[in-house]
Amino acid sequence: MNDHLWSRLTAAEKDGVLTALSRSMAMLEIAPDGTLLDANDNFLQLLGYARSELVGQHHRMLCDPVYTQSPAYEDFWRRLHQGETLSGPLQRMRADGSELWLEASCNPVMDAEGRLQKVVSIATDITTHIDDSKESNSVLSALNRSLGVVELSADGLIMSANGNYLKTMEYLADELIGQPHSILCDKEYAAGPEYQAFWRDVCSGRFFSGRFKRCSRNGRTIWWEATYSPVLDAAGKPLKIICIGADVSYRVTREQKDREHLHLLSLGINETDNAVFITDQANRIVFHNSGFTRILGYSASEVIGRHPRELFADQPAIINFIEECYGELTAGRSFHAEELIHDLNDQPLWMSAVVNPILDASGTLINAVCVMTNITNTKMHEVLQYKVLNAMVHEASLEEQMRLLCEEVEHIAPEVIASILSIDASGGLHTLAAPSLPPEYNLALSLLHIGADKGSCGSAAFLGEAVEAIDIETDPRWADYKHLALPLGLRACWSTPIKSADGRVIGTFAFYYRESRGPNPIHHLLVDASIGLCALALEREEARSRIHQLAFYDALTGLPNRSLLLVKANQAIATAARHQTPLAVLFIDLDRFKQINDSLGHQAGDELLRTIATRLQVDARRSDIVGRLSGDEFVMVLAQCDLQRVAEVVKRIQDQISQPCHIDGTAVMPSASIGVSLFPANGEDMEILLHRADLAMYQAKAKNRGRFSFFSDEMNAQAQERMALESALRDALRGGDFALHYQPQIHIEKNRVHGVEALARWHHPQLGNVSPGRFIPIAEECGLIGELGKWALTEACAQLSDWRRRGIEVPSVSVNLSSTNFHDLEIPQFIAHLLQQYQLMPCDLTLEITETVLMDTNPSTNRTICEIHDMGIALAMDDFGTGYSSLGYLRNLPVQELKLDQSFVKDMATDATVSALTNAVIRIGESLSLTVVAEGVEDLAQYELLRQQGCAIAQGYYFARPMPAAQLEIWIGNFNTESISLDL
């Protein structure tokens, strides 16, 4: 409102304006020297003073002490004395010492001579009564600068508006003057009865103060905090309405956000799963949230006004907790603890409580805020896991672990009786822990098996799901067992299956009750926390048993393995030594096991081993020890068994073993060779006795299969010799002591050299000439046969290449290879490299293989044979006719030669049957387009008979013995120039 407008107002109108200001503004009058002259109620309420506390005091009491000592404060008063109006934010101090910033206008009131009479300070929301007309212009000017003012006609047209109002509503004066007031209102509101009633009341002389929703020119919502004051004439009719106010949109928005925040905070406090309560200075509960009621069960009437200790008077641990907590709070410190408490219904709960003090300015405790969190589930897991896992770490037995678990569960929930049972492979129940059940009841349970109607535990284990028997007396699953439970006061039982990681039921965890009932939520939590621990403990025990089984027992037969066998045997030997009683060690080796394994497959071989293990156990006494060393080797230790009795036992064992059995649908007649050593005659510890029984077994097998033999010094000497021979064999392969001799093969019909067979010979400096019959088996047993075969191939190819360069006519060379060589997938590449290195053709080389190679089930054998055949290298079956399945393999394997074994050739001239057999073999060879080579031809009669039967190739002493390469060269020269005679 400008000065021109004010001057046009009548006295009544001016009084109306001042009255409107008094309702909406705060005002303070100050003398020129700074003395506070007066303050209206709004000002006093705003700053928190009584009028008597202000009037007569200096203005600096309302200001920051630092500010009053500054040049700025002096400048403030200087400018007022000069008549300058000061507007803007001012910092003021409230009665309680807090700071207050006001948007105020300080207006100097000057006399006619230009001297300062007083200062009128006006701020938003301050009303004052001005009765000095000379001062009114200054007051209104201050209001005009700080507030929005609009004049309205009685019919609601806008007559004038000051700059603040126009700025707030985003209008120019020309756009607003003359417009109806309703354009500033929401359209729906302006057209409604509420707006009409508002104008009717204002025009009747009623003042309106409050917040009004208005719309700016751009449609923005403005919250207008204002006073609508009607100016009436002498007759009481409205002349105009003056509206003075301010834009409080920001404050409204902030208050709305604060209300929303408080609403959300209220929701958060009440809807949280935590229990919250607040106490006052006297430690009485003055507030609690709904979570307190949900968790602890107390209603507001049972809590408000009471001390916390009254709620838990019968729980000594909680009383101590509260006393300790209050001591910390009065010292200004927060308190945190975890404790097991009982709610209104006496249910146990683990609570974590955090209590924070609220102190006043002097440090006195005025409130305490307690937040309690239900950690029952977590704490149950923590406590129970600590008990059980700690017992596991200290290697307590499974029974001890489960007993600790049951005891802890019963401590948390005294109304239950806990029981844990395990289940064996056959479905039998066994009590692991039930500390509160009588031993006779636990024993009765251990005699039961799981089933659909086997009480709670047997049924739960059978069904794989929890079983509740709320009333044992009437539950049909307890019909046959209630006589065990009811006399002990057991009325109900809830059993939960314990399952392994793979889903197997391995035990049960049961709660018994002394009244007919089912489990409550706490019991469910206890089971949830315990069942995993039970499974862990049971599976750990299973794993330990499996590890023990794997470490000390043979996986195939279940017999003690070498480790456990030695331990048990040495214990038996110690007992025999202490009591001076005899003891026998039997080393049992199955005969022809490899043949069964190869011909029928490894599964059949495994079945045979299990059968033999069972037969050995059947014949053993409880004091005897039966174990499996490896492969087809078994050991028996016979306690208190002398020489005479051991012979009887061995015969009985051999009879038991040799009983026919059907393996994979095939009838098998097993047999075993057994070696025997005696304590103390043959040794005083198990290693020596076992070694000597092994030697005796080889002695028995060497004589004939299916026999037994006792250890002797001669056997020991033979074993020592064999060890020395094996060591020398290794040195010979490394040092080049081996040499190849060559025996010619003669084409009978064409009377010319067909080829030569390369044969390994070994001359040892000390042992002399060692026959192949001695070193070949040793090479096979100690794993050197493969290396020996590669050496022979290399030497033979090198020699044939040398003969070719020097023009010596040797058509081809034959080399013997073992089955081990054919297990080597790299042997074809090795041979190809040799042929390339020595410039030989594949037809220059023949590989002789035995029937065991053809019958070998190793997958690499067939693959290797086929690769060699595809290279164009001929294969010859050596010793044909001495095996069992040669004919069956001939049609499937790429063999080009059959070597008729010398055992047939030897007797063919004197035995018609043998002669018929050799003739049959030759005919088989013809029909299959195979070359037949007769070995061991030693005289003219054999030679002539073979020629008559049509045998193609002959080899033997009749033509030549195996000889070194140099000697063979001479023999070939003579053979080419001379005809064969009987003197050769």
Side-chain angles (χ1 to χ4, degrees), residues 136 192 314 357 426 490 506 572 598 608 652 726 790 808 968 984:
S136 296
D314 57 346
S426 64
L490 305 177
I506 55 177
D598 292 344
L608 177 60
R652 190 166 62 249
E726 179 181 332
K790 285 186 174 182
I808 298 173
L968 178 68
L984 288 177

Side-chain angles (χ1 to χ4, degrees), residues 285 292 298 302-303 306-315:
I285 298 174
F292 189 91
Y298 293 97
E302 296 171 304
V303 174
R306 301 182 66 185
H307 294 88
R309 63 180 300 132
E310 296 179 59
L311 303 180
F312 307 102
D314 57 346
Q315 300 183 51

